[in-house]
């Protein structure tokens, strides 16, 4: 029978691509982070990687493959809106010193680190990330393309390519470093004039960036309002938005006035900045580092928590963002576990569970500009679905134990165990033209 079917397909008498099987997911409770509501006994139907139906009244087709999550809470995948998959600075051997990390870990090694980190994040339920620079020579683009073509599993990546800044980027290099580009490049694209700004934006877009990241004020002189507006207008020609590394109050004021898409870090943001950001709809990726046994300080965390609460109180569109890029010898936590541990700062800020979950999903999708394709569990969107034991609307720490992960309709994790074999292909199964 199989031989006859193959022959018929070959002769063109039947379509070669037979209909995809429907998967039916039975959810104990279906969480909608946008409304903060949970629906009991819902069913989600998935076909060809997309959600076709979701809700309490959805019938299970007779021929569907059933995934029983009736004892779990089912919700959309999580978002880290500011991370660095291709960077891991370490206490050994480089003593957490960026210069040495860039010298010792070249682009090929960091690409492999990025692939591993992406798999670890997906295992912890992160199905979308914005990867914002410090990824050597476009390892972020390579990883994104590899995932989109079907070589490896990983989250949907919205990547920036090289960070664009004035001479030296975030570094204060020696003349040898700066002039010979021995260290500054490839971590940064230097742009000090209007022509250089245009060229840098276009170069990043050419090499696969999906968002443009700039150093607004990494040097005392920084970028002016006019220069930031030039970044915004030039990026818009490629359909991209601009994310700005901001570390001073003056830099924040210039970025807000210029209408930047998102402010990254925002160490010196004031309550007035937060009010202005809310009025203009500017996203905040505040990278709120917690105090733990392996990183950070109590004072730093308290400051981060206070600023995070101010942003939330003033209605800023806050995203869950970590700037996760470090490893401490002897710490056996995965990159995903290190990332989810940033919940400590959000809890210290006293932000309600429902608002934390919304920041980790709905606001993150919007900031990453993927909300039209994936995110909420709605018909027509990509089937990026996770499940946890508890109810994150009541206890946000339920997100620390992700038992099930589906990405683009493929099961990556089941019963708490990764099962990623269907994500690996011997070629670009989803099309080599993805760039």
């Amino acid at each position: 029978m199989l031989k006859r079917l193959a022959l018929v397909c070959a002769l063109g008498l039947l379509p070669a691509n037979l209909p995809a099987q429907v998967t039916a997911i039975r959810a104990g409770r279906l969480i909608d982070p946008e409304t903060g509501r949970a629906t009991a006994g819902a069913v989600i139907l998935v076909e060809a990687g997309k959600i076709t139906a979701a809700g309490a009244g959805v019938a299970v087709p007779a021929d569907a493959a059933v995934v029983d999550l009736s004892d779990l809470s089912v919700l959309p995948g999580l978002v880290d809106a500011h991370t660095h998959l291709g960077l891991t600075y370490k206490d050994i051997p480089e003593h957490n010193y960026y210069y040495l990390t860039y010298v010792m870990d070249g682009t090929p090694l960091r690409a492999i680190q990025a692939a591993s980190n992406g798999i670890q994040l997906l295992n912890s339920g992160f199905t979308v990330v914005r990867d914002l620079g410090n990824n050597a020579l476009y390892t972020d683009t390579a990883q994104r393309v590899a995932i989109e073509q079907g070589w490896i599993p990983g989250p949907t990546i919205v990547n920036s390519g090289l960070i664009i800044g004035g001479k030296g980027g975030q570094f204060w290099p020696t003349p040898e470093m700066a002039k010979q580009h021995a260290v500054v490049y490839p971590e940064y694209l230097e742009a000090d004039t209007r022509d250089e700004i245009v060229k840098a934006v276009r170069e990043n877009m050419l090499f696969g960036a999906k968002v443009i990241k700039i150093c607004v004020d990494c040097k005392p002189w920084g970028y002016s309002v006019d220069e930031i507006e030039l970044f915004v207008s030039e990026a818009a020609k490629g359909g991209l938005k601009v994310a700005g590394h901001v570390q001073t109050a003056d830099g924040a004021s210039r970025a807000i006035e210029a209408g930047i898409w998102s402010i990254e870090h925002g160490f010196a943001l004031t309550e007035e900045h937060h009010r202005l950001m809310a009025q203009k709809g500017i996203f905040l990726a505040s990278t709120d580092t917690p105090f733990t046994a392996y990183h950070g300080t109590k004072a730093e965390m308290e400051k981060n928590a206070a600023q995070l609460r101010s942003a939330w109180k003033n209605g800023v569109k806050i995203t869950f963002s970590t700037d996760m890029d470090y490893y401490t010898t002897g710490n056996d936590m995965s990159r995903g576990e290190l990332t989810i541990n940033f919940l400590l700062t959000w809890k210290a800020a006293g932000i309600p569970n429902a608002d934390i979950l919304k920041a980790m999903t709905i606001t993150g999708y919007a900031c990453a500009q993927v909300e039209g394709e994936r995110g909420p569990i709605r018909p027509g969107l990509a089937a990026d679905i996770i499940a946890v034991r508890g109810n994150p609307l009541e206890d946000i720490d339920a997100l620390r134990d992700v038992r099930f992960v589906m990405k683009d309709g493929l099961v990556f994790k089941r019963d708490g165990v990764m099962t990623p074999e269907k994500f690996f292909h011997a070629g670009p199964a989803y099309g080599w033209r993805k760039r």
Side-chain angles (χ1 to χ4, degrees):
M1 180 64 186
L2 288 175
K3 289 182 178 179
R4 287 201 299 271
L5 180 59
L7 177 61
V8 171
C9 288
L11 293 174
L13 300 178
L14 283 178
N17 295 321
L18 297 176
Q21 183 178 26
V22 175
T23 298
I25 300 173
R26 295 187 181 276
R29 66 172 66 87
L30 178 59
I31 306 292
D32 181 358
E34 190 163 18
T35 62
R37 296 175 183 169
T39 300
V43 170
I44 306 163
L45 300 184
V46 176
E47 186 174 356
K50 303 283 188 182
I51 298 165
T52 58
V58 175
V60 177
D63 59 346
V66 177
V67 177
D68 188 5
L69 304 178
S70 55
D71 59 343
L72 301 175
S73 293
V74 177
L75 63 152
L78 308 177
V79 184
D80 185 343
H82 184 125
T83 192
H84 302 280
L85 297 178
L87 172 63
T88 310
Y89 73 89
K90 305 166 283 296
D91 55 340
I92 298 174
E94 64 260 36
H95 301 288
N96 297 325
Y97 196 43
Y98 275 124
Y99 279 147
L100 296 181
T101 302
Y102 300 145
V103 171
M104 299 179 72
D105 291 356
T107 296
L109 176 58
R110 288 169 66 184
I112 295 171
Q113 291 178 11
S116 175
N117 286 331
I119 290 170
Q120 293 173 61
L121 276 175
L122 188 58
N123 186 47
S124 288
F126 289 90
T127 56
V128 176
V129 302
R130 285 202 312 165
D131 197 346
L132 295 183
N134 294 130
N135 288 304
L137 195 57
Y138 296 99
T139 66
D140 53 351
T141 294
Q143 183 183 14
R144 176 180 60 75
V145 171
I147 292 168
E148 291 178 358
Q149 288 189 356
W151 294 99
I152 58 172
T156 294
I157 294 175
V158 179
N159 64 298
S160 71
L162 275 58
I163 301 171
I164 304 173
K167 195 69 173 179
Q170 288 177 262
F171 294 157
W172 290 89
T174 65
E176 291 83 2
M177 291 175 179
K179 287 184 172 295
Q180 298 172 21
H181 276 176
V183 174
V184 172
Y185 189 81
E187 297 304 321
Y188 301 90
L189 276 177
E190 297 171 326
D192 288 294
T193 68
R194 294 183 68 84
D195 286 347
E196 289 173 347
I197 287 172
V198 170
K199 184 176 181 179
V201 171
R202 293 181 182 181
E203 185 171 318
N204 263 343
M205 291 194 292
L206 175 66
F207 295 137
K210 297 303 179 183
V211 62
I212 298 299
K213 183 184 177 184
I214 66 173
C215 275
V216 170
D217 51 7
C218 295
K219 296 293 184 291
W221 44 94
Y223 285 124
S224 68
V225 173
D226 288 344
E227 287 167 335
I228 300 171
E229 288 176 341
L230 177 58
F231 275 112
V232 171
S233 63
E234 194 61 31
K237 294 177 182 177
L240 274 57
K241 300 296 186 182
V242 177
H245 173 108
V246 173
Q247 58 194 45
T248 67
D250 287 344
S253 296
R254 296 196 302 272
I256 293 169
E257 183 178 347
I260 205 165
W261 180 252
S262 65
I263 287 181
E264 314 300 312
H265 314 298
F267 305 127
L269 289 174
T270 65
E271 190 164 7
E272 178 60 23
H273 286 132
H274 290 150
R275 284 193 287 265
L276 290 172
M277 289 176 68
Q279 290 172 15
K280 288 197 165 190
I282 296 171
F283 291 92
L284 174 61
S286 49
T287 64
D288 309 291
T289 303
F291 173 46
T292 64
Y294 54 83
H295 200 81
T297 66
K298 183 178 180 182
E300 179 186 22
M301 178 171 166
E302 289 175 349
K303 179 182 178 183
N304 289 340
Q307 288 191 313
L308 187 59
R309 182 169 181 81
S310 170
W312 168 74
K313 183 181 67 175
N314 284 284
V316 177
K317 296 192 291 188
I318 317 170
T319 64
F320 183 83
S321 310
T322 65
D323 203 21
M324 186 62 230
D325 53 9
Y326 53 79
Y327 170 78
T328 304
T329 303
N331 186 358
D332 60 357
M333 296 173 70
S334 74
R335 189 70 163 241
E337 290 169 334
L338 290 166
T339 296
I340 201 69
N341 213 25
F342 278 65
L343 285 174
L344 291 171
T345 312
W346 288 74
K347 292 170 66 177
I351 296 177
N353 292 327
D355 288 348
I356 299 176
L357 185 59
K358 188 173 183 179
M360 299 180 77
T361 53
I362 303 303
T363 310
Y365 304 137
C367 182
Q369 292 186 277
V370 300
E371 73 275 21
E373 303 170 2
R374 60 186 69 244
I377 299 178
R378 294 175 186 160
L381 298 185
D384 291 356
I385 298 167
I386 69 172
V388 299
R389 281 200 173 106
N391 183 350
L393 294 173
E394 298 174 354
D395 179 8
I396 198 65
D397 282 322
L399 298 178
R400 293 177 179 273
D401 184 18
V402 174
R403 309 300 298 170
F404 174 87
V405 176
M406 172 179 279
K407 177 68 166 50
D408 287 314
L410 295 178
V411 175
F412 175 80
K413 185 177 187 178
R414 190 193 297 266
D415 298 327
V417 178
M418 282 191 284
T419 57
E421 67 276 1
K422 291 184 179 180
F423 285 82
F424 292 100
H425 300 277
Y430 306 136
W432 65 270
R433 286 187 172 87
K434 293 180 183 293
R435 295 294 182 195

